[in-house]
Every structure is written in C-alpha cells, then in structure tokens.
Amino acid sequence: MSRILTFVFRRRGHGGRWHWTDIATWIWLIGGTILMFGPALWLVASSFKGPAQLAEFPPTLLPYIQQTAVVEGYDAPLPLYTATLEDGSVEVLAEIRRIGVNSQMVDPENPGERINVNIADRSPVREIGFATGNYVEPLVANNFLRFLWNSVFVTTMATLITLLTNSMAAFALSKYRFRGRDAVMLLIVATLMVPLSVILVPLYSVVNATGLLNTLWGVILPTVATPTGVFLLRQYMLTIPDELLEAARMDHASEWQIYWRIVLPLAAPALAVLAIFSVVWRWNDFLWPLIVLSQREHYTLQVGLNTYAGELNVQWHYILAMTVVTMIPVVLVFVFLQRFITTGIAGAGIK
Amino acid sequence: MAGFGKTLGRAVTWPLTLVARAVDPPLRVWQRWTGTGGMAAVFLAPNLAIFGVFVLIPLVLNFVYSMTGGTGILLDQRSFIGMEQYGRLLECEDYTRRITCREDQFWTAVTNTATFVIFQVTLMVTVSLITALILNRNIRGRGFFRAVFFFPVLLSPVVVGLIWRWILQRQGLLNLITVNLGLEPEVWLNDRFYAFAATVGVSTWAHMGFYTLILLAGLQAIPRDLYEAAEMDATPPMRVFRRITLPLLGPNFAVVLVLALIRGVQIFDEVYVLTGGGPGTSTLYLTQYIYEVGFASILRNPGLAAAASILMGAVLVVLTLLQLWFSRRAEGRRAR
C-alpha cells in the first residue's frame, strides 16, 4: 500500500523532496475529483432509492429496500420491522396497519396473535437493494420511452445531416477557388455572433411557416448548419494535398466522386471529432426543443425531464432515475472518446 | 470486437454509399454543363440553404418583429409600431429606481445578469486558471485529472440543474454537511442570496473544465527554456509567474475571459432547471426574460422579446468581435 502511495505521489525531477506547493496541488486535485464526480455519483446512488427513503433525513449513502414477508391470512406481503416489546425483548414483526402512533403488528411465525407497538419503538428491516422500479415504471407508464426514442432520433439525424452538409461546404471552401468564396467564409464567421438565444422569436415564426412546428424536424434543421463544424472540417481538408485530387481528375473521376471517395475518407479523423461534438450538442439541447415542442409525444428527454421536474409534486424517484438515463450516452462518450474532445477543444477552441 | 465495429460501420454507410452512387450521374451532367464553379455551388447549397432559412432570415426578421406590436406570432397578425418596443424597454421615470421603469422585469433581468456575469466570470477564470496551472505541473496522471475536470462539461444543462437541485433540497446532501457541522438545515434554493450563489457556483462547476483546457493549451505552448533560464537565475516563483507565465498566456487568457462573458450573458438552461428564475425574480436572467415574454407568459409579447434580444445581441456582437481579435492574436503567438 505504502509503495503504491509513494508511486502515486512521487514527483518527477526535484528528487523526493516535498514542497508546500505539492501538497496544495494534491489537495486541489483530489478535492476537485470529489467535487466533479461526487454529485453525479450521488445522483446514481439516489436513483435506486424508493420514495420513502428519498424523503429521509439524514440520507443514507446506499439504497436500501425494506424487507417484506408473506404472512398467512394476509394477501399482500407485509413490511418487516424490528420492534422492541414492552418486556424489553427485540423481535422481527410484520406490520398490518398503523393507527396513530401505534402500529398493529404480527409475528410472521405466529400470525394469530396481534401485538401493538408504539411506532417510536420499531425500525424497518432493510437490506441493500435497488429500487429498479424507478427506471422501469416511467419508461413504461410515463412515456419516457417515447422521449428516449425522440432524443435518439434527433441526435442521429442531426449528426448525419451536420456531417454531410458541413463536409460538403468545407470541401467547396477548401478545394475550389470561386468568386464570393471569401464572402461566404465571412458570412459563416458572422454567424458565430448570432447564437440561437438572440433569434428565438423570428426562428419560431420561420419554423412555424415551414410547417415544422411541433415536429422533431423542427428541432433538427435549425441546428445543423453549424459554423464550427464547417471551420473544423475546412481546416483539416486544407491539409489534404491537391495533387491527390488532380490525379483523380486525370482518371476521369467526377467532382462528386472526388469528394465522396477521396476527401471524405481522408477527413475521417476530423469527421469523427465533429460527430462526437454533434452527438453531445444535440443530445443536450434544451431551449430550442422546449420552444418548438409543445405536445408530450414529441418531447425529447431533456424537455420531458424538465416538465416532470417542474410539476407541483415532484416525483423525485422517477426524475432521478430518468436523469441517470439521460446521462448515460454522455458518460459513454466521456469514458471512451474524451480524448478526441479535449484535443479538439485545445486545438480549435470549439465547444 | 473490431470485426463487429467494421460490420456495423459498413451497415451504416452502405445505404449512404448507394445514395452517393445514385447522385453521381446527374451531378456529372451538371459538372459538364457548369464546370467546377457550378460544382462549388452544389457543394455549398445544402449548408447555405439551411443556414439562410434558419439563421439569416430570422436575423433580418428579428428587426421587423422588434418594430411590430400585438400578441400574434405570425407577421400578418402584427402591426407596425416603429421603435415603441425599444422605448417601452428603456423607459424609466427615475433611472436609479428599477420599480419606476415600464418594464421593470427587463431591468431586473439586466441587473441580475450583470451581477451574475461579474461574479461568475471572475470565479470561472480564477478557478480555471488555478486548475490549468496545477495540471501544467509535472504530476502523475495528468491526463486523468484533465479528464476529471472536463466531465461536467459534457453533461446536459438539464442534468446539471437536476443534480444540484437534488443536492440543494431540504433533505439533500448539502444539508447533511451543514447539520454535521452543527448548523441549521436550509432550503437553499428558497433563499434569494443562496439561490443566486447556487447559479454562479453550479454554472462554474459545469463549464470550468472547458476553460481549463484552453488555458492549459496556452500554458503548454510557452517555451520550456524560458523557465529553465529563470531557474538558472534562481528567480522567485511569483516573479516567474508574473513575468513569464501571465504575459505569454495573455491572449489565451483574454479569449477565455471573453468566451466566458459571452456564455455568461446568455445563461439560461441550467439556471432555468435549477431555480426557474426564483425565488421571486432573484435569478431571472436575460434569456429567460426573453423566453418568458416571447413564449411562456400568458400576456406574451413577441415584439418586446425581439427588441430585448436585439439589445442582448448587440452586446454579444461586441464581445464576439473582441474574441475574434484576441484569438487571432493568440494564434499569431502560437505560430511564432
């Protein structure tokens, strides 16, 4: 163990001496790790708790489920409690019903005799267990499966269209000389200044006029012509040598074939980065879907979650579980593809 | 696994390949007809069409909307009223007292946003800079820790908002800590001050990893030999920081500052989910004001929302121009 610690905390260079800055560094890093991952882990742990346990204070770290027992003479399984009886003995009893501060209980072994226990003298028998119903019920009953499907559809379609249209535009802007090329580039730079939040009202009326209101395409189309995507791909395509294109033209390849069979495969790394970004962007979109979609069956996960979380009586056990579901694709991207994103940002400064 | 991935990749691209093959013959005819110039137009057309319909036209329409009145969203239900909406937004009897303004909600949103931006950007830049400096040291597992701070950046704002709403509620994790410290539990988001602080803290938590990455890239571009020379001369660390690190990081630092400002002004999603603008209007920020006036409230007024968004847009344009200018300088430095 101590060898592992020495290995982890060994400093490069400077021999083995510790400076106060090294200590500060590790406090910052370890504290940061807890702060960055802790809330999400707490969410996951909470999402497996039942409604009663969620209302408890202080909260427990792990999810527990109250044990129940089938007792002769009763149809439904009864919840089990450890009760302290009047004579001081402690027994595991099943509760039949609660009347005021008294609980009517029965010994599962001996169901004939009823025992009255003050509710202060009993505590539930619990075992670590997962309230999986939190996940199953909203997916089945509260159309979260529908929301999930809508989100998947929007993300996939938007990403495919983004990749196609952006790469075509980037190809034209990097491999052709034509009049007005600089004007087009400037126009695209200019859109960086027009975030969606500035054009909400007129965009809504345009989407309305094109008949896309309350459809998933109304969510998809306004987001796909991203200036950052065109930039990223154009920068990459500029590095593809023009000689390759010339050689293909000698062999009577059409311009479309050159784009499709030469430039696109060569730009695969940049396309992959854009695809990852696009998936995360579109999966996480909130404000625009919130405005365009007003019927429940069209909601994406983000909008559906917000609607259920905004109700007067928030059903936290469902909300937490569905938040975890919403988080899953992004966590997968983080675990497997995080490297592509971080290098993408460090290189091009995009988000 | 690799074989499966390849098969899956082929299954996805196969229909696309068929389409690509099908469009080739007509495009060949077009190419013979118009030359490469015509092909450039073909390649640009889809992107520019979408861009024109969903960005350019709305951009122009925004000005039209801001000069019309009425509650209808379609333009033919609206009447031209000139600059009245702007007048309504900006008119106050006494400019030192928000209450006397005709649209006091707008002024509340503006002052809230300004306060938010000041606190959030300061906190964001400070925390990101410290983290970047620490990650730039010779530490084990740098890649791991860089990823750690980046994790919340990927989370959706709705997820971020809900995670923290859950932590800050009455039976939440934060109250567990306060109670253990011997303090009273608090319903954090029902308190004006704490709710505001939560929006600042949570949005910083969610985005600092992004700025850390940019700053780290800037730090790593600083030539090592400068530091070695400083070490030879036994320069004190604070002076190394002031004389080498800060000036050479300058342009990147400016980019981060302006980017954080731009994002801060537009803050909406996570705050809307976290506090909904409350309690009262204490965390009502500009984008939420626009959203509510334009869409959500019963007495909606799209013209007023458009006017407010144009005023916000003007601020953003200035900030973006600054950003472009700074990032060009940062790039120039990197090339040198």
Side-chain angles (χ1 to χ4, degrees), chain A residues 36-85:
Chain A
M36 293 292 140
F37 284 146
L41 290 177
W42 178 245
L43 172 82
V44 175
S46 305
S47 76
F48 287 105
K49 295 175 182 172
Q53 209 198 336
L54 287 179
E56 271 173 27
F57 189 85
T60 53
L61 190 62
L62 292 171
Y64 291 92
I65 286 183
Q66 181 160 25
Q67 297 306 106
T68 55
V70 181
V71 181
E72 232 183 278
Y74 300 93
D75 293 337
L78 299 176
L80 287 178
Y81 288 88
T82 17
T84 317
L85 301 181

Side-chain angles (χ1 to χ4, degrees), chain B residues 149-203:
Chain B
F149 287 97
F150 188 72
F151 172 65
V153 178
L154 290 178
L155 294 180
S156 91
V158 176
V159 169
V160 168
L162 287 174
I163 284 180
W164 285 97
R165 232 173 95 180
W166 179 241
I167 289 176
L168 297 173
Q169 54 125 3
R170 188 190 286 279
Q171 291 96 354
L173 199 56
L174 187 61
N175 273 336
L176 183 65
I177 298 169
T178 51
V179 166
N180 278 330
L181 290 176
L183 301 168
E184 284 294 300
E186 186 88 41
V187 188
W188 301 96
L189 295 175
N190 284 1
D191 178 279
R192 297 178 72 88
F193 171 75
Y194 289 131
F196 172 78
T199 63
V200 171
V202 167
S203 59

Side-chain angles (χ1 to χ4, degrees), chain A residues 220-281:
Chain A
I220 295 169
L221 287 179
T223 57
V224 295
T226 60
T228 34
V230 177
F231 265 128
L232 180 81
L233 294 175
R234 177 176 174 266
Q235 280 329 86
Y236 196 86
M237 286 179 185
L238 284 174
T239 65
I240 297 173
D242 287 345
E243 286 78 11
L244 271 178
L245 277 62
E246 285 307 322
R249 283 188 188 118
M250 292 286 190
D251 292 339
H252 301 287
S254 71
E255 294 301 310
W256 174 259
Q257 279 176 320
I258 290 174
Y259 157 75
W260 186 261
R261 308 198 42 186
I262 299 177
V263 175
L264 264 199
L266 285 176
L271 285 171
V273 171
L274 179 60
I276 298 168
F277 270 103
S278 172
V279 165
V280 174
W281 286 331

Side-chain angles (χ1 to χ4, degrees), chain A residues 7 10 21-22 25 28 35 46 166 191 195 197-198 202 205 254-257 260 284 302 309 330 334 351, chain B residues 20 24 28 31 43 47 51 54 58 62 65 131 137 140 145 147 154 156 165-166 176 205 207 266 268 309:
Chain A
F7 174 76
R10 187 177 58 196
T21 51
D22 299 322
T25 295
W28 186 273
L35 195 62
S46 305
N166 286 8
T191 38
S197 54
V198 173
S205 78
S254 71
E255 294 301 310
W256 174 259
Q257 279 176 320
W260 186 261
N284 290 349
Q302 315 285 347
V330 171
F334 176 75
K351 185 191 181 187
Chain B
D24 189 41
R28 249 172 212 274
Q31 187 185 333
F43 284 116
N47 206 62
F51 175 75
F54 296 109
N62 214 8
Y65 267 96
T131 313
R137 301 188 63 180
R140 240 159 229 294
F145 286 112
L154 290 178
S156 91
R165 232 173 95 180
W166 179 241
L176 183 65
W205 177 82
H207 301 295
Q266 297 176 66
F268 172 77
S309 68

Side-chain angles (χ1 to χ4, degrees), chain A residues 7-12 14 21-22 24-26 28-30 32-33 35-37 39-40 42-43 46 54-59 160-161 165-166 168-169 171-173 176 178 184 187-189 191-195 197-208 210 212 221-222 224-226 230 252-257 259-260 280 284 286-287 290-291 302 305-306 309-310 314 316 319-320 323 326-327 330-331 333-334 338-339 341-342 345-347 349-351, chain B residues 12 16-17 20-21 23-24 27-28 31 36-37 39-40 42-44 46-48 50-51 53-59 61-62 65 73-74 127 130-131 134-135 137-159 162-167 169-173 175-176 179 185 205 207-208 210 213-214 217 231 259 263 266 268-269 272-273 287 290-291 294-295 300 302 305-306 309-310 312-313 316-317 320-321 324 334:
Chain A
F7 174 76
V8 170
F9 291 105
R10 187 177 58 196
R11 298 195 53 220
R12 295 185 191 155
H14 300 295
T21 51
D22 299 322
T25 295
W26 283 100
W28 186 273
L29 289 177
I30 291 167
T33 309
L35 195 62
M36 293 292 140
F37 284 146
W42 178 245
L43 172 82
S46 305
L54 287 179
E56 271 173 27
F57 189 85
L160 283 179
I161 299 175
T165 59
N166 286 8
M168 282 168 71
F171 174 64
L173 289 171
Y176 293 126
F178 55 91
V184 173
L187 200 69
I188 293 175
V189 178
T191 38
L192 285 173
M193 292 183 232
V194 193
S197 54
V198 173
I199 53 170
L200 288 178
V201 171
L203 186 56
Y204 181 88
S205 78
V206 165
V207 168
N208 191 8
T210 46
L212 295 174
L221 287 179
V224 295
T226 60
V230 177
H252 301 287
S254 71
E255 294 301 310
W256 174 259
Q257 279 176 320
Y259 157 75
W260 186 261
V280 174
N284 290 349
F286 175 61
L287 176 57
L290 179 71
I291 288 172
Q302 315 285 347
L305 255 186
N306 173 63
V314 183
W316 272 110
I319 296 291
L320 295 173
T323 311
T326 312
M327 207 167 69
V330 171
V331 171
V333 166
F334 176 75
Q338 166 271 128
R339 192 169 292 271
I341 302 190
T342 44
I345 289 176
I350 55 172
K351 185 191 181 187
Chain B
V12 173
L16 296 175
T17 317
R21 263 192 216 152
V23 298
D24 189 41
L27 282 178
R28 249 172 212 274
Q31 187 185 333
T36 46
M39 283 311 288
V42 168
F43 284 116
L44 280 175
N47 206 62
L48 283 189
I50 296 175
F51 175 75
V53 172
F54 296 109
V55 179
L56 280 189
I57 293 179
L59 192 60
L61 279 182
N62 214 8
Y65 267 96
I73 191 83
L74 294 177
V127 176
I130 295 174
T131 313
I134 282 178
L135 289 176
R137 301 188 63 180
N138 266 331
I139 46 164
R140 240 159 229 294
R142 183 187 341 190
F144 170 76
F145 286 112
R146 194 180 59 180
V148 163
F149 287 97
F150 188 72
F151 172 65
V153 178
L154 290 178
L155 294 180
S156 91
V158 176
V159 169
L162 287 174
I163 284 180
W164 285 97
R165 232 173 95 180
W166 179 241
I167 289 176
Q169 54 125 3
R170 188 190 286 279
Q171 291 96 354
L173 199 56
N175 273 336
L176 183 65
V179 166
W205 177 82
H207 301 295
M208 63 155 288
F210 173 70
L213 277 184
I214 300 181
E231 203 167 325
L259 265 182
R263 301 250 169 83
Q266 297 176 66
F268 172 77
D269 302 11
Y272 184 69
V273 177
T287 304
I290 293 168
Y291 166 68
F295 302 96
R300 68 175 191 189
S309 68
I310 284 175
M312 182 170 95
L316 292 175
V317 165
T320 311
L321 287 176
L324 287 175
R334 210 175 294 164

